[in-house]
């Protein structure tokens, strides 16, 4: 065996060269890896005894892409003599067959490297994909030009716009992989395959030269129009999906070398832009959020093999589905059989709807329903490993339940509350085991929303926090550990936006002006459309209503939101909203009665008023240690509240604007409008001392 460099070896076994990469964690295409590949390929090609070359990786995966940490630095992909292009050129033009042997994932630049090989073999558990779109990029190593030449434009469009990881058996069907090997025998399988190529004198397939597949779609503009239409809502505001589509269009309509030029130009444009910067930041933020500084990696975990959920309403039902989806049995407890039946009926309906869309089979519907057991007594929660209380937000009620749980639940069970704002320490205080009590704040709809706030109480044990993180991973949530404070991280910041939005409509901006400004910024909807969707009467009561807010007036007028056909907006039978002059009149009258001065408020001011106080609150949260790091706040807001990922989250966005500018704005606002704008002391410090908070 020859060592090529720290991460590459070359091994020649009966005339087959094994070029092996070992660059943990994911064999990304760092400068060292590219140097190793170039040198190793040259050695193998010039060695007369070598008849074919197999590229294989050690560790958990084949090459998972370009090394994202190198982006923008001096070692980046273009490095002279060792660029990704140099690697690919050597492979594709090798006079000896080059075979990629894939396990784990071949992603991004990794799959592009494999596509520059003459053949690809994989183990059945492997997956291939071009996920660059999720980093605000497109495959810049020829992927957009080679992939459609094998799988056709339609599948290629699907892969590059979704970034999906395609399982090996599907890759085999599409021709992306030429052969599957035994699961645990990739090396042997690949060597045998390579030998076969030599004995059968098979051609050196250069994907770049394959024309038949793409030619079929030449001039098929409809295909691209359809894809654009189907993605329009999901990809609103994003540049990368559109640029990816343009590259596939180029692959179909232009010769390879011309297409590569289009790819290169659009790749560079994305790479230099803010959207990709934000999405790359979020990629690492999403990995950081799993790390809790004072909790060791090897912290002992509790077994969670069964779960109890209290409440079969919207939240309880959604929460239960997460566990059933992951194969974990759930016992749901409701107060009455009627409510229980209703809740279970809704869960079944949700599953059946998913099955009707083809996302799960009817057998899976039954399997999952079979994992959900309904009961009407808390006493039935005496054996589960994790209990999640999901009743409505009332401290007395929660305390009553936790007192009972303390006497019912087995020793060592984790007792969690799905509170969205209440004091977890106070809830824990009624039990004799506060170390086992934690907040697990799911977001509605709980079976769909990715975010989970894990609320760590003063006495919550490390084991319980670590176990909750592990459970979150099993049910495919993105979990952020937060501290106990009103509203935790997400809702606490949301309250700032809500307050300002409600003030602004009394100063002259109309609800739809505010919603439009935030929608154009990239949120899926603004605060007033959101209130209409949730129902304006949530937490509102006729008896206590005193006409002191616009919401009071709307509810009193029977305008409860979408469900009553009107709220801040008026809705047609398809729930399409329109501004309503009646609401404008209600707001105007309310303002006049209180002698509020109305004025024109432009979009820029709306955004500043709604967003800057959120950033300020983020600093207060950091100052109080309620979030571990600034990027955790951004994870909460991009995954739980629809902050557009290409704007990175409130803290990242604040940095893009400039924290000094925001501080200046807040100081002025405090003078002009009051103490709610008082800048956080930590923000002042960050600006004064030029601290990097990321
Ligand atoms: C690209 O290829 C552009 C080309 O087209 C350009 C051509 C010109 N770079 O996720 P995990 C780290 S763009 C650097 O926890 P898992 C990650 O930060 C790239 N580091 O593991 C983490 O570090 P730490 C296209 C990377 O098993 C550790 O590896 N490729 C990279 O849950 C473990 O990661 C992608 O977008 C990277 N490319 O999942 C794939 N990837 O331990 C991105 C990972 O210090 N990667 N790290 O926190 C993934 O999707 C997942 O990491 C993967 C493993 C599925 C591979």
């Amino acid at each position: 065996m020859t060592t090529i460099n720290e991460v590459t070896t070359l091994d020649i076994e009966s005339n087959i060269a094994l070029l092996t990469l070992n660059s943990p964690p994911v064999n990304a295409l760092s400068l060292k890896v590219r140097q190793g590949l170039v040198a190793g390929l040259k050695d193998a090609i010039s060695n007369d005894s070598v008849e074919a070359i197999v590229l294989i990786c050690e560790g958990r995966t084949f090459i998972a892409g370009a090394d994202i940490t190198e982006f923008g630095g001096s070692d980046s992909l273009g490095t002279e003599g060792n660029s990704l292009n140099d690697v690919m050129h050597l492979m594709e033009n090798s006079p000896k067959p080059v075979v990629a042997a894939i396990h784990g994932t071949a992603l991004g630049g990794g799959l592009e490297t494999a596509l520059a090989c003459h053949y690809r073999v994989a183990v059945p558990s492997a997956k291939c994909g071009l996920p660059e779109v999720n980093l605000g990029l497109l495959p810049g190593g020829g992927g957009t030009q080679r992939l459609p030449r094998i799988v056709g434009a339609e599948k290629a469009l699907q892969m590059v716009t979704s970034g999906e990881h395609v399982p090996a058996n599907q890759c085999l069907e599409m021709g992306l992989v030429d052969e599957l090997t035994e699961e645990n025998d990739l090396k042997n399988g690949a060597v045998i395959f390579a030998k076969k190529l030599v004995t059968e004198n098979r051609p050196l397939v250069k994907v770049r030269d394959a024309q038949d597949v793409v030619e079929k779609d030449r001039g098929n503009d409809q295909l691209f129009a359809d894809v654009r239409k189907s993605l329009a809502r999901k990809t609103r505001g994003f540049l990368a999906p559109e640029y990816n589509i343009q590259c596939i269009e180029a692959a179909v309509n232009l010769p390879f070398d011309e297409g590569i030029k289009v790819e290169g130009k659009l790749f560079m444009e994305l790479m230099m832009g803010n959207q990709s910067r934000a999405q790359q930041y979020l990629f690492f933020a999403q990995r950081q959020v799993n790390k809790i500084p004072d909790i060791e990696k090897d912290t002992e975990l509790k077994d969670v093999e069964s779960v109890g959920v209290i409440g079969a309403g919207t939240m309880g039902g959604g929460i239960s589905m997460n566990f059933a989806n992951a194969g974990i049995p759930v016992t749901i407890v409701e107060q009455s059989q009627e409510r229980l039946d209703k809740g279970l009926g809704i869960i079944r309906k949700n599953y059946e709807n998913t099955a009707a869309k083809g996302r799960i089979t009817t057998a899976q519907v039954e399997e999952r329903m079979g994992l959900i057991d309904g009961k009407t007594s808390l006493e039935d929660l005496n054996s589960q490993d994790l209990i999640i209380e999901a009743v409505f937000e009332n401290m007395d009620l929660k305390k009553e339940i936790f007192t009972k749980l303390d006497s019912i639940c087995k020793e060592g069970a984790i007792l969690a509350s799905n509170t969205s704002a209440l004091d977890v320490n106070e809830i824990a205080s009624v039990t004799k085991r506060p170390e086992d009590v934690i907040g697990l704040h799911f977001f509605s709809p709980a079976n769909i929303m990715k975010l989970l706030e894990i609320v760590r109480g003063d006495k919550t044990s490390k084991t319980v926090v670590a176990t909750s993180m592990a459970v979150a991973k099993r049910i495919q949530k993105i979990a952020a550990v937060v501290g106990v404070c009103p509203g935790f991280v997400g809702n606490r910041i949301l309250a700032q936006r809500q307050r300002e939005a409600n003030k602004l409509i009394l100063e002259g901006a109309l609800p739809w002006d505010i919603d439009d400004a935030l929608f154009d910024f990239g949120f899926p909807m603004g605060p007033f459309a959101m209130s209409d969707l949730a129902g304006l009467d949530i937490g509102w009561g006729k008896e206590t209503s005193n006409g002191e807010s616009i919401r009071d007036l709307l509810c009193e007028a029977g305008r409860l939101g979408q469900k009553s056909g009107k709220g801040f907006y008026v809705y047609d039978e398809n729930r399409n909203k329109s501004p309503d002059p009646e609401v404008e009149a209600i707001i105007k009258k309310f303002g006049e009665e209180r002698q509020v001065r109305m004025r024109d408020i432009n979009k820029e001011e709306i955004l500043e008023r709604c967003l800057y106080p959120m950033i300020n609150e983020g600093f207060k949260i950091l100052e109080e240690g309620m979030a571990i790091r600034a990027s955790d706040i951004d994870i909460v807001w991009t995954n739980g509240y629809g902050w557009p990922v290409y704007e990175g989250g409130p803290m990242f966005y604040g940095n893009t604007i400039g924290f000094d500018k925001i501080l200046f704005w807040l100081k002025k606002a405090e003078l002009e409008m009051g103490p709610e704008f008082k800048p956080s002391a930590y923000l002042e410090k960050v600006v004064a001392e030029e601290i990097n908070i990321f």
Side-chain angles (χ1 to χ4, degrees):
M1 189 171 74
T2 316
T3 300
I4 304 286
N5 67 5
E6 300 100 294
V7 295
T8 323
T9 54
L10 189 66
D11 205 4
I12 300 168
E13 279 175 25
S14 49
N15 299 356
I16 304 295
L18 276 165
L19 184 55
T20 307
L21 291 177
N22 188 4
S23 180
V26 295
N27 292 307
L29 289 160
S30 62
L31 177 59
K32 281 216 177 82
V33 166
R34 298 189 317 267
Q35 283 168 337
L37 284 172
V38 167
L41 282 164
K42 283 183 179 165
D43 273 11
I45 291 168
S46 63
N47 185 328
D48 289 341
S49 70
V50 171
E51 291 178 326
I53 303 160
V54 170
L55 169 63
I56 193 162
C57 293
E58 293 281 352
R60 68 217 265 196
T61 180
F62 188 74
I63 304 166
D67 188 336
I68 308 168
T69 58
E70 278 184 358
F71 284 176
S74 57
D75 290 343
S76 69
L77 292 157
T79 322
E80 182 107 23
N82 293 294
S83 71
L84 187 54
N85 253 335
D86 294 322
V87 173
M88 291 181 173
H89 186 79
L90 269 174
M91 285 177 160
E92 202 158 51
N93 295 304
S94 156
K96 303 168 183 180
V98 184
V99 179
I102 302 170
H103 77 293
T105 45
L107 298 177
L111 179 57
E112 293 178 295
T113 305
L115 284 169
C117 295
H118 303 117
Y119 294 91
R120 287 151 296 281
V121 298
V123 293
S125 62
K127 289 182 174 165
C128 297
L130 293 176
E132 283 85 345
V133 71
N134 297 326
L135 294 167
L137 291 173
L138 55 85
T144 64
Q145 304 307 298
R146 289 194 180 86
L147 182 70
R149 284 180 158 75
I150 297 181
V151 306
E154 195 175 347
K155 285 215 172 84
L157 281 165
Q158 192 188 324
M159 283 177 73
V160 296
T161 55
S162 70
E164 68 185 314
H165 299 181
V166 181
N169 59 343
Q170 286 178 34
C171 293
L172 183 69
E173 276 169 32
M174 293 194 271
L176 194 51
V177 160
D178 300 288
E179 193 171 285
L180 296 188
T181 69
E182 291 289 323
E183 185 63 49
N184 296 315
D185 207 15
L186 178 63
K187 195 199 274 188
N188 231 344
V191 168
I192 293 169
F193 181 84
K195 280 187 180 158
K196 199 166 63 180
L197 295 178
V198 175
T199 33
E200 293 177 5
N201 204 11
R202 299 258 292 269
L204 301 175
V205 180
K206 291 187 190 177
V207 178
R208 56 171 288 145
D209 294 338
Q211 279 306 112
D212 325 357
V213 181
V214 273
E215 262 166 17
K216 283 190 207 131
D217 283 317
R218 193 155 293 167
N220 184 357
D221 296 343
Q222 195 57 42
L223 173 67
F224 296 96
D226 289 348
V227 170
R228 287 190 168 98
K229 197 167 159 213
S230 72
L231 291 177
R233 218 177 120 226
K234 211 173 121 208
T235 62
R236 184 176 67 90
F238 285 92
L239 292 176
E242 168 57 27
Y243 281 27
N244 270 281
I245 296 172
Q246 287 180 21
C247 285
I248 305 293
E249 254 173 335
V252 166
N253 295 320
L254 300 175
F256 183 86
D257 288 327
E258 294 297 308
I260 282 284
K261 279 187 202 150
V262 172
E263 183 192 88
K265 180 176 166 286
L266 295 180
F267 176 81
M268 281 320 290
E269 220 177 283
L270 290 176
M271 187 60 130
M272 306 308 277
N274 285 338
Q275 292 203 348
S276 175
R277 213 162 53 87
Q279 287 178 260
Q280 286 169 38
Y281 157 80
L282 285 173
F283 175 82
F284 289 112
Q286 201 165 317
R287 273 130 194 103
Q288 279 285 97
V289 77
N290 296 320
K291 295 171 188 151
I292 321 297
D294 67 327
I295 299 185
E296 306 299 324
K297 244 183 159 180
D298 55 1
T299 301
E300 197 191 333
L301 300 182
K302 288 174 184 265
D303 280 339
V304 176
E305 297 310 330
S306 58
V307 173
V309 173
I310 306 166
T314 317
M315 262 340 251
I319 292 171
S320 303
M321 289 173 76
N322 286 303
F323 292 98
N325 296 350
I328 303 170
V330 194
T331 306
I332 310 190
V333 174
E334 246 305 347
Q335 279 175 324
S336 68
Q337 191 63 42
E338 194 190 340
R339 282 195 195 198
L340 182 62
D341 291 343
K342 189 174 167 212
L344 291 175
I346 293 172
I347 295 178
R348 173 172 282 282
K349 198 149 198 106
N350 280 337
Y351 278 139
E352 283 171 354
N353 286 342
T354 313
K357 288 181 196 144
R359 295 208 199 113
I360 56 172
T361 63
T362 46
Q364 279 172 314
V365 174
E366 296 313 321
E367 214 172 278
R368 292 178 193 193
M369 285 310 293
L371 286 169
I372 301 177
D373 189 14
K375 297 280 184 201
T376 51
S377 163
L378 281 182
E379 308 291 328
D380 286 303
L381 298 179
N382 57 0
S383 63
Q384 293 77 358
D385 301 318
L386 163 66
I387 318 294
I388 304 172
E389 162 278 308
V391 303
F392 63 87
E393 292 286 74
N394 176 304
M395 182 54 94
D396 290 339
L397 177 63
K398 300 217 181 224
K399 279 180 163 175
E400 189 188 320
I401 290 177
F402 273 75
T403 308
K404 286 188 187 151
L405 290 179
D406 196 24
S407 64
I408 295 167
C409 299
K410 73 171 185 189
E411 196 185 319
I414 299 178
L415 308 184
S417 172
N418 172 50
T419 178
S420 58
L422 296 178
D423 185 340
V424 172
N425 292 328
E426 194 177 335
I427 297 174
S429 72
V430 300
T431 72
K432 289 188 275 311
R433 38 174 140 173
E435 67 283 2
D436 289 335
V437 177
I438 195 160
L440 293 181
H441 177 207
F442 289 82
F443 289 72
S444 189
N447 52 319
I448 292 171
M449 293 294 288
K450 280 271 164 219
L451 181 66
L452 180 68
E453 278 184 328
I454 296 188
V455 191
R456 182 178 186 174
D458 292 346
K459 295 190 178 155
T460 312
S461 74
K462 291 183 180 180
T463 290
V464 167
V465 176
T467 306
S468 300
M469 293 295 286
V471 167
K473 197 162 189 188
R474 270 171 82 189
I475 60 171
Q476 294 178 16
K477 296 286 174 202
I478 296 170
V481 172
V482 300
V484 179
C485 59
F488 313 128
V489 167
N491 282 345
R492 180 169 161 178
I493 291 179
L494 178 67
Q496 296 291 317
R497 192 182 81 178
Q498 292 303 99
R499 187 196 62 226
E500 289 311 307
N502 285 318
K503 274 162 55 187
L504 279 165
I505 58 171
L506 300 180
E507 294 171 27
L510 288 161
W512 29 96
D513 297 334
I514 295 168
D515 280 355
D516 286 353
L518 289 164
F519 180 80
D520 291 347
F521 179 76
F523 282 101
M525 62 177 87
F528 297 102
M530 177 71 111
S531 300
D532 273 2
L533 179 66
L536 297 186
D537 56 336
I538 290 186
W540 176 85
K542 216 176 196 150
E543 330 61 57
T544 50
S545 176
N546 55 13
E548 275 309 311
S549 71
I550 300 293
R551 179 176 85 153
D552 279 353
L553 296 178
L554 294 178
C555 286
E556 282 168 19
R559 306 186 67 112
L560 305 181
Q562 277 197 22
K563 60 184 170 191
S564 66
K566 50 189 184 173
F568 280 101
Y569 294 85
V570 62
Y571 294 86
D572 68 14
E573 60 283 4
N574 298 320
R575 297 206 165 192
N576 293 317
K577 63 179 186 329
S578 324
D580 190 348
E582 213 179 287
V583 172
E584 205 172 325
I586 291 174
I587 296 173
K588 203 162 168 235
K589 183 160 171 275
F590 184 94
E592 277 167 6
E593 283 167 6
R594 283 157 188 78
Q595 294 176 339
V596 181
R597 191 176 67 88
M598 296 272 187
R599 62 194 171 87
D600 278 345
I601 302 179
N602 65 25
K603 203 183 236 182
E604 193 188 351
E605 186 178 347
I606 291 173
L607 285 182
E608 288 171 351
R609 279 282 292 279
C610 289
L611 303 184
Y612 290 5
M614 296 168 74
I615 298 161
N616 193 30
E617 198 64 27
F619 274 98
K620 290 184 188 166
I621 284 170
L622 290 174
E623 190 176 310
E624 294 166 25
M626 293 298 152
I628 296 170
R629 44 183 96 77
S631 61
D632 287 9
I633 297 177
D634 289 339
I635 286 296
V636 167
W637 264 79
T638 47
N639 288 289
Y641 296 83
W643 188 289
V645 296
Y646 53 78
E647 293 288 4
M651 305 314 282
F652 182 90
Y653 175 72
N655 192 33
T656 313
I657 298 289
F659 291 135
D660 53 343
K661 279 199 192 126
I662 291 175
L663 177 62
F664 180 79
W665 185 94
L666 287 165
K667 282 183 172 166
K668 192 161 166 276
E670 186 190 7
L671 280 177
E672 289 169 4
M673 291 183 281
E676 63 269 40
F677 296 98
K678 185 178 168 42
S680 124
Y682 183 47
L683 170 60
E684 302 234 28
K685 186 176 156 77
V686 163
V687 172
E689 297 175 22
E690 295 181 22
I691 297 169
N692 178 5
I693 63 162
F694 297 104

